[in-house]
Amino acid sequence: MVERLANSEANNRRIAMVENAFGSGVSLQRPGRVLVGEGVLTKLCRKKPKPRQFFLFNDILVYGNIVINKKKYNKEHILELEHVQLVSLEDDGELRHGWQIISPSKSFSVYAATATEKAEWMAHINKCVTDLLKKTGRTGPGVEGAAVWVPDRVATSCMVCKRAKFTAINRRHHCRKCGVLVCGNCSRNKWLLPQISSKRVRICNNCYAALRSGVDPNEVGPGKGVTAPPPTMNREVLRPKESFSEQEPSPEEPSTGDESLPPLPPKQSASNGAQEVAEEEVGEERADESSDEEPPAIPTSVLAGSVASKFGSSDEDEEDDDEPLEYEQDEGATFFDGGDTA
């Protein structure tokens, strides 16, 4: 059925409508590409679950924020299906009919309105992945998936040191390798994860120590691993924040002749200093961010966060920002292949 739709006028018209709805300038028209289905799924974002529009093609999965339902979307994301894996999730409270979408660049959990809709989505996605792998002769994705981030509300303290409490000043971070919530002291290290970003990204001290020791952190679980070395031993380390009351003397400043009396630091209010540090920390996180996001499968109980975080976070998730201007509950997913998942 999918092959018969490939060059049909109806398929080309549907793809053009998706392009226009996003308005990103990204062309989705490709020879042999078919829009298999579309619908609204609830995506578990960093702060809380939010509705997102999904479009399933026979080779890619496209999703984005809903601006005006069925008319306008933004924040377009495209995942190559040949590298996608699905992991079914058990129902947990209000979070029901869910599964994880695992890809090299971003991984996350989504939830359908009904068990039937979940089964339809998973069957169609798996069918597309299977067909693509048959064409390439591969037996699996072949690329490690990104970590599923633990929602902010799950932990009020660092999941590595178990001591640091998250506050508006002591902000939470996400390890890009295992996805756990960590404090700044436990995530000063960076590591190159090419499937996520071309730049080094923030990881927790345990993942950093495991990677340097040649141990795969995925084999020991999120937030665990070998004991991390002291920060002074780290070669790839984020620059620690300097104290507000300490400042290195300028090398060009002439000596006063009395080396026992260091030059006085310029006056600076504690509030201004705290604001500058916070802004610098957010800037570092934004530089690390990759849009959005496994194999380490986070337990369903950990993914049960469904309300906004109580404390601040320095991790910026661009999908957490927008709420639909006009949105009504969708009637369910629509598939254009006649339900062919065999």
Side-chain angles (χ1 to χ4, degrees):
M1 181 64 177
V2 171
E3 289 74 15
R4 293 199 297 271
L5 290 173
N7 298 314
S8 68
E9 181 179 346
N11 178 65
N12 293 333
R13 183 172 63 251
R14 293 186 192 110
I15 296 178
M17 291 176 64
V18 176
E19 290 180 351
N20 293 334
F22 276 105
S24 62
V26 176
S27 175
L28 298 175
Q29 297 281 1
R30 295 286 188 280
R33 176 170 289 172
V34 175
L35 178 57
V36 177
E38 62 180 84
V40 176
L41 295 172
T42 298
K43 179 178 178 291
L44 188 58
C45 298
R46 179 174 58 82
K47 294 182 179 180
K48 62 180 181 180
K50 295 187 178 181
R52 295 291 180 255
Q53 181 71 35
F54 283 78
F55 297 94
L56 175 63
F57 295 79
N58 59 335
D59 62 336
I60 59 175
L61 181 65
V62 179
Y63 70 96
N65 294 5
I66 302 171
V67 180
I68 301 176
N69 194 30
K70 299 183 178 180
K71 294 181 180 179
K72 180 67 176 176
Y73 313 106
N74 63 12
K75 306 293 177 64
E76 182 179 26
H77 294 263
I78 301 177
L79 304 180
E80 300 287 342
L81 283 183
E82 61 181 333
H83 302 306
V84 164
Q85 302 176 75
L86 303 184
V87 178
S88 181
L89 296 175
E90 297 292 332
D91 293 347
D92 193 345
E94 296 182 356
L95 296 177
R96 305 178 62 195
H97 320 309
W99 67 97
Q100 290 179 345
I101 298 176
I102 310 299
S103 78
S105 60
K106 187 172 180 65
S107 302
F108 49 88
S109 300
V110 293
Y111 297 85
T114 65
T116 300
E117 188 176 345
K118 170 186 175 178
E120 290 178 340
W121 271 106
M122 294 190 69
H124 280 86
I125 295 174
N126 281 327
K127 177 65 164 54
C128 292
V129 172
T130 300
D131 291 345
L132 283 171
L133 293 178
K134 286 181 179 179
K135 292 179 181 179
T136 60
R138 297 206 307 269
T139 57
V143 181
E144 179 183 353
V148 176
W149 282 16
V150 176
D152 284 3
R153 74 166 297 274
V154 169
T156 57
S157 60
C158 177
M159 298 176 72
V160 172
C161 69
K162 315 293 185 183
R163 297 188 302 272
K165 299 291 184 180
F166 297 132
T167 66
I169 302 300
N170 187 30
R171 302 164 73 87
R172 51 170 53 81
H173 306 270
H174 279 92
C175 172
R176 272 44 171 194
K177 180 64 178 175
C178 67
V180 301
L181 289 162
V182 290
C183 64
N185 286 334
C186 290
S187 60
R188 288 180 174 176
N189 304 293
K190 287 189 174 185
W191 196 269
L192 181 62
L193 303 176
Q195 73 275 18
I196 296 177
S197 174
S198 59
K199 299 180 180 179
R200 293 185 299 127
V201 293
R202 183 187 292 268
I203 62 175
C204 69
N205 289 358
N206 288 340
C207 283
Y208 177 80
L211 289 168
R212 290 196 63 186
S213 302
V215 177
D216 185 358
N218 296 335
E219 296 180 357
V220 294
K224 300 179 182 179
V226 300
T227 303
T232 55
M233 296 175 60
N234 296 345
R235 297 180 180 179
E236 297 171 325
V237 63
L238 292 173
R239 181 177 62 83
K241 302 297 181 292
E242 297 175 353
S243 170
F244 304 144
S245 61
E246 296 178 357
Q247 179 175 339
E248 293 290 337
S250 170
E252 300 178 359
E253 187 174 348
S255 173
T256 61
D258 187 353
E259 301 299 332
S260 63
L261 298 176
L264 294 174
K267 291 184 179 180
Q268 180 181 17
S269 66
S271 60
N272 290 340
Q275 181 178 359
E276 291 177 3
V277 170
E279 290 176 352
E280 180 180 358
E281 190 173 57
V282 171
E284 289 176 349
E285 283 300 307
R286 286 176 177 168
D288 289 346
E289 194 65 37
S290 174
S291 46
D292 326 301
E293 300 226 133
E294 180 351 57
I298 306 298
T300 307
S301 59
V302 174
L303 296 173
S306 59
V307 297
S309 173
K310 180 178 179 181
F311 299 119
S313 172
S314 62
D315 286 324
E316 296 294 330
D317 186 342
E318 73 284 354
E319 297 171 56
D320 276 348
D321 298 334
D322 298 337
E323 294 285 1
L325 299 180
E326 296 181 12
Y327 172 70
E328 297 178 358
Q329 183 64 41
D330 198 83
E331 296 179 354
T334 301
F335 295 99
F336 307 111
D337 61 351
D340 180 17
T341 58

